[in-house]
Each structure stands twice: as structure tokens, then as C-alpha cells.
Amino acid sequence: MAMDDPEVTLQEQMFHNAVRELIISLLLFISLYVVSYVTLCQFRRRADNEDMYAGEEDAAVYRISLWLCTATLSVSVGAVLLLPISIISNEVLLLYPDSYYIKWLNSSLIQGLWNHVFFFSNLALFILMPFAYFFTEAEGFSGSRKGLMSRVKEASLVLFLLGILVMGLAYVASAIISGDESTKQTLSDVWHEHLPYLYSCISFIGVLVLLMCTPVGVARMFTVMGQLIVKPQFLRGIEDELSRLRLQEEHLLRKITYRNGPCQISNGHGHSSIESLMETLEDTRKAISKLVSRQHISFWRRNLCYPLVMLLLLAITVFSILIVLQNTFLLLVGTKALPRGASDTVLGISSLSSLGPFGAALQIVVILYLMVASVVGFYSLPYLCNLQPKRADTSMVKIILNCVVILLLSSALPILSKTLGITNFDLVGNFGSMDWLGNFYIILLYNILFAVSTALCLFTKFTSAVRREIYDRLNAAFQRGKKTSTQPSHAPSANTLQVTNSKSETLKEE
């Protein structure tokens, strides 16, 4: 029995470790779910503003779809936090290797989080979101009994047929590319071969979308932050403008209150009705509220916050470009390994940055910055900007599409960060099992395109005003020169007429 005690103790330890990891993962998911639900409720269109709730059945359909979207958004946020949590865990274990209170923070927990996020990302991308869309569009089979289960059956059948179609296309593409006769003749490796290949294609598409969105978002971030932060008011008298707006408000109120009959005033372009007066009054009151709130802001925040934030954004952007250029150089030299996943991940051995915890913190800031920039850039692109959700006025279909977009971008974020060399933390589990991550030419070309496109977007952003002014000046000079060349010659001057008359008189005398 004494020999069995170590085996029992080891089994108990493994059981307690597994339970602890599941509890931590569950608590993290519940926290993300609550935050995601509150966020989606802020954007979801209210029931009293639309006619989509024809009854209790429709309300239940949209409620279930909202729960599925909330779960998908939770997984997306978890995918964004994978690398930051992993980097922080590694640095904490380096600082406190023998602390009793952080024994739960180990490599097994981090690897479990990566595997869970990967599994639920696939589940949400291929099952939850398509089912939510088909569920909201389903009406039940014709001739069958109406009800919630009828919609569930229709959505499930359509999803099953779509899955067969997608898996068939993935199987055909894998067979054509691999050229393996056994792969063409059997479908027994669907789970181990074709599903990972399908997710590899999806991840590659997500990385390409990040390549398209992130440089645009990096340049757009300066405009967005300029709209959110109070700009310096060195040359602007807030008191004078506030007095002018209050006088304008009183003038408009007097016109609206003491009107005789239909109120019509001339505004230079015709006559405006009472509706235009009300709109002008509303805009004036909004401007007054902004100026009043600006009055209560301290001098230092009003005049120093904006330039500091702009300098910080510029520093992070330049630092990111330098990291990508360094990674490209190391790839060309051959000292940088390709971003394939590691077979075994151990935390707390060495720091991920030569600068220690400070360098690790910089990596986290750059990773989160690239994620925010990619989302901003996606909603800044033409046609895709129509998907941007509006507060309290976003339909369920648009919420589903936005959740798919966020999931696609967040799932590709760890791959992007490792591909660009922003972090040295290896991709864990199936995140690093994509075949294209081992292609040297794809990784090198991706780094070059990212650095060049980001630099071009920044150059275009900061020189747009100068180029526009130069173009306007040259265009104005060209128009003036064109008008001068096309004008008819003027009548002769008085001096010319006098010289001509004197010559004619001299000829007559001769």
C-alpha cells in the first residue's frame, strides 16, 4: 500500500490541477461574457424602435441570437488577450519563481487557454454565427407546425447543407494542392486533415485582412484620437464664442416663440420653415454644452493632453515599423526562425525581451494598439464602413456580421504578432500548425508589405494638407496663365497713338 501512495498522490494532483484550470477558464469566460453582453446591448436596436418583434416567438429568436453573438464576442476578446496574458504570466513567473500564491500560473494553464480559444473560435466561426444568421432568417418549413422548434430545424438543416458544401470545397482544394492519391480517395481524415486545412485558409484570409486594415487604421488613429481628445485652444476665446452662441440661442428662441402664423425667415437661399429653426437651435445647444464642458477642463489637460497623446501614437507607430524592419532584416540574414508553433511551451525560463519587463510591456502595448488600429481601419475602408455599428440602432444581422469580423481579426492577431516579430512568444497549440507559417517567402513578403504600406499611409496622412495646398496653388496659377493667354489683345495705349500720329504728320510734311 505504501507503494501505491505516490501514484494516488500524483492522480490527485493532476485532478486538482485540471479542476483549477477549468475553474479559472470558466471565471475568465464569464467575466468576458458579461462585458460582451453589456457592450452588445449598447449597440442593439431597441424593440420599441422597430417592428421585428411580432410576437413572443420572434423575441425568443432574437434573444437566442444575441446570446450566441455574446459568446462569439467573448471568444474574440479572449483571443485578443491570449498574447498579453501569456507575456504577463512569463514575466511574473520570472519575478516570483518560488511564490506560493502564483503556483496556479503555469504553462499548463496558458496552453489550456490557447487550446480553448482555438476550439471555441472554430465553433463560433463555423457553427454559432452561421446558425444565428439562419435562425433569424428562418420562418419554419412550409406546411409544418409553426413555432420555435420549426425555426431551429430549418436553421439546422441549412447549416448542415452549408457545412457539407464548405467541407467538400475544402476537401477538393486540399486534394488538388497536396496531390496525394490517398487523400483524394478517402474522407476518413476530415477531422485531422481537412478541418485544420480549412481553418488554415481562414486564418490566412484573416491575416490578409489585417494587412489591409492595420496600415489604414494606424493612419486613421490620429484623426480618431483628435476627435476624442480636447484640442489645444491657444488662439480661441471660449468665453467670446460662448457668449455669441448664447445670444444666437436667445435669438432663435424668440423667433420660434413669438412667431405670428407660419414662421419663415430668409436665410440667403430662400425661406426656411420652423423645422430648420428647431434643427439650428438643437445644434446651437449642442455647441454650447461642448463649450461649457470645455470650460471646466483644466489648463494642463486642455493644452498638453492632445500633443502628448499624438506624440505617444507617433512613437508607438514608429516603434512598430522599426520592429517589423528589424524582423525583415533578421529573416534575410537567417537568424530569425519562422513563426511555426512550438511543440512544448515552458514559462518562466527567460524574458521575452532584452529590456526585461519594460520590453514585455512595450510588446503588449504594441499588440493591443495593432488590434485597435485594425478595427478602426476596417471600418474606415470604402463599402465596409457601412457595417459600422451605431449606438442603440444596429440590427441583429449587422451585429452578427460585426461579431464575425471581430472574431476573424482577433483570431489572426496572435499569428500577425508572431509573423511581424512583435513578440518572441511562440504560437501555442493549433495556432502555429498552419503550413503557410513555414513558408519563408510568404513571411518575408508579408513583413515587407506591412512596413511599406504603413509607412506610405503615415506619409500620406501627414503630408495630405501640404500636398493639397501645393496642388491648389499650382492649379490657381495654371488657371490664371490660361486666362491670360486666351484674352484678346488690348487697344493701343496713348503713347503709342501719339508716336503713330507724329510719324504720320512727318510723312505728310515731306
Side-chain angles (χ1 to χ4, degrees):
M1 295 296 295
M3 297 181 61
D4 295 335
D5 290 337
E7 183 179 356
V8 173
T9 304
L10 180 61
Q11 291 179 353
E12 290 180 352
Q13 184 178 359
M14 294 176 60
F15 174 76
H16 288 305
N17 290 337
V19 171
R20 182 177 64 247
E21 292 173 5
L22 289 176
I23 291 175
I24 294 174
S25 301
L26 184 61
L27 291 176
L28 180 61
F29 178 77
I30 292 175
S31 303
L32 296 178
Y33 189 91
V34 172
V35 175
S36 302
Y37 183 79
V38 173
T39 303
L40 289 181
C41 288
Q42 296 296 320
F43 290 97
R44 182 175 63 92
R45 182 178 296 170
R46 299 293 184 260
D48 53 355
N49 295 333
E50 60 179 348
D51 298 329
M52 65 180 185
Y53 290 172
E56 187 64 27
E57 181 182 337
D58 289 339
V61 168
Y62 280 89
R63 193 181 304 117
I64 295 173
S65 300
L66 181 63
W67 294 342
L68 297 179
C69 292
T70 305
T72 302
L73 188 59
S74 305
V75 175
S76 303
V77 179
V80 173
L81 297 178
L82 274 181
L83 278 176
I85 290 176
S86 303
I87 295 172
I88 292 174
S89 302
N90 183 74
E91 299 301 323
V92 169
L93 289 175
L94 278 175
L95 293 175
Y96 308 100
D98 300 325
S99 177
Y100 173 78
Y101 297 100
I102 60 171
K103 289 293 184 181
W104 56 273
L105 194 62
N106 50 28
S107 302
S108 177
L109 173 64
I110 300 301
Q111 190 165 5
L113 289 177
W114 281 73
N115 292 331
H116 291 157
V117 170
F118 181 83
F119 172 76
F120 286 108
S121 297
N122 285 273
L123 182 67
L125 187 61
F126 297 117
I127 297 179
L128 296 185
M129 288 295 94
F131 178 81
Y133 175 75
F134 294 140
F135 193 42
T136 55
E137 299 294 327
E139 298 180 356
F141 294 108
S142 60
S144 62
R145 185 177 180 181
K146 298 296 181 181
L148 191 62
M149 289 305 300
S150 179
R151 293 190 177 190
V152 172
K153 292 177 182 178
E154 181 183 351
S156 302
L157 180 60
V158 175
L159 180 62
F160 177 73
L161 295 177
L162 179 64
I164 292 178
L165 177 62
V166 173
M167 287 304 303
L169 294 176
Y171 168 74
V172 172
S174 177
I176 292 175
I177 294 175
S178 63
D180 189 7
E181 292 296 330
S182 61
T183 305
K184 298 178 183 179
Q185 295 175 0
T186 180
L187 288 174
S188 60
D189 294 332
V190 169
W191 183 262
H192 301 286
E193 296 292 337
H194 304 299
L195 273 179
Y197 175 78
L198 181 61
Y199 187 79
S200 177
C201 296
I202 296 297
S203 65
F204 185 71
I205 294 174
V207 172
L208 290 181
V209 173
L210 284 177
L211 177 61
M212 180 176 59
C213 299
T214 308
V216 179
V218 166
R220 179 68 178 167
M221 282 291 291
F222 293 90
T223 304
V224 173
M225 295 304 296
Q227 295 173 353
L228 296 177
I229 301 176
V230 178
K231 296 183 180 180
Q233 304 294 330
F234 298 111
L235 303 177
R236 183 181 176 186
I238 298 180
E239 294 291 343
D240 297 338
E241 188 170 356
L242 189 58
S243 300
R244 181 183 62 83
L245 288 175
R246 282 174 175 168
L247 288 175
Q248 183 179 354
E249 181 187 14
E250 294 177 0
H251 178 66
L252 291 171
L253 283 174
R254 193 179 299 111
K255 285 186 176 181
I256 294 173
T257 306
Y258 300 103
R259 68 184 186 275
N260 293 321
C263 179
Q264 294 183 348
I265 60 173
S266 176
N267 57 3
H269 302 283
H271 294 280
S272 61
S273 60
I274 188 64
E275 288 79 8
S276 63
L277 281 177
M278 295 298 295
E279 292 178 1
T280 307
L281 179 62
E282 187 68 24
D283 295 337
T284 304
R285 286 177 173 174
K286 289 181 180 179
I288 290 174
S289 62
K290 289 181 180 179
L291 288 179
V292 169
S293 62
R294 194 186 299 273
Q295 271 186 324
H296 299 289
I297 297 175
S298 64
F299 172 82
W300 301 107
R301 180 184 173 188
R302 185 169 62 247
N303 295 326
L304 292 181
C305 183
Y306 180 81
L308 288 178
V309 170
M310 292 297 110
L311 289 175
L312 181 62
L313 282 179
L314 184 60
I316 295 175
T317 305
V318 173
F319 181 70
S320 304
I321 296 176
L322 292 177
I323 289 178
V324 177
L325 291 177
Q326 180 189 10
N327 187 63
T328 305
F329 176 75
L330 294 178
L331 285 173
L332 288 173
V333 173
T335 58
K336 184 75 173 182
L338 294 175
R340 293 299 298 269
S343 57
D344 193 12
T345 302
V346 181
L347 299 178
I349 296 180
S350 62
S351 179
L352 297 175
S353 175
S354 58
L355 300 178
F358 178 73
L362 282 179
Q363 291 181 7
I364 294 174
V365 170
V366 172
I367 291 171
L368 298 178
Y369 172 69
L370 290 181
M371 182 61 199
V372 176
S374 64
V375 174
V376 172
F378 180 86
Y379 291 119
S380 301
L381 294 175
Y383 302 107
L384 297 179
C385 60
N386 297 325
L387 290 177
Q388 184 174 358
K390 298 180 181 179
R391 189 179 182 89
D393 192 26
T394 306
S395 63
M396 184 56 63
V397 174
K398 189 173 288 188
I399 287 178
I400 294 173
L401 292 177
N402 280 277
C403 289
V404 171
V405 169
I406 299 299
L407 178 62
L408 188 64
L409 296 178
S410 60
S411 299
L413 180 65
I415 304 174
L416 173 76
S417 304
K418 183 62 177 177
T419 302
L420 298 179
I422 296 173
T423 179
N424 294 324
F425 192 86
D426 294 322
L427 297 174
V428 180
N430 293 322
F431 275 95
S433 62
M434 290 77 175
D435 294 334
W436 61 271
L437 290 176
N439 193 312
F440 172 77
Y441 297 102
I442 292 179
I443 302 302
L444 179 63
L445 181 62
Y446 192 90
N447 280 263
I448 294 174
L449 288 177
F450 186 89
V452 172
S453 58
T454 305
L456 286 177
C457 289
L458 285 178
F459 177 79
T460 304
K461 172 68 177 178
F462 288 110
T463 61
S464 59
V466 178
R467 289 184 289 104
R468 191 182 303 112
E469 184 67 22
I470 292 174
Y471 174 77
D472 293 339
R473 294 291 181 87
L474 292 176
N475 190 25
F478 176 75
Q479 294 295 335
R480 286 197 301 267
K482 188 176 180 181
K483 289 181 179 179
T484 304
S485 61
T486 56
Q487 283 180 353
S489 59
H490 296 285
S493 60
N495 295 329
T496 307
L497 290 174
Q498 291 178 0
V499 172
T500 305
N501 293 332
S502 61
K503 287 184 178 180
S504 61
E505 292 176 355
T506 305
L507 291 175
K508 287 180 181 179
E509 292 177 357
E510 293 178 353

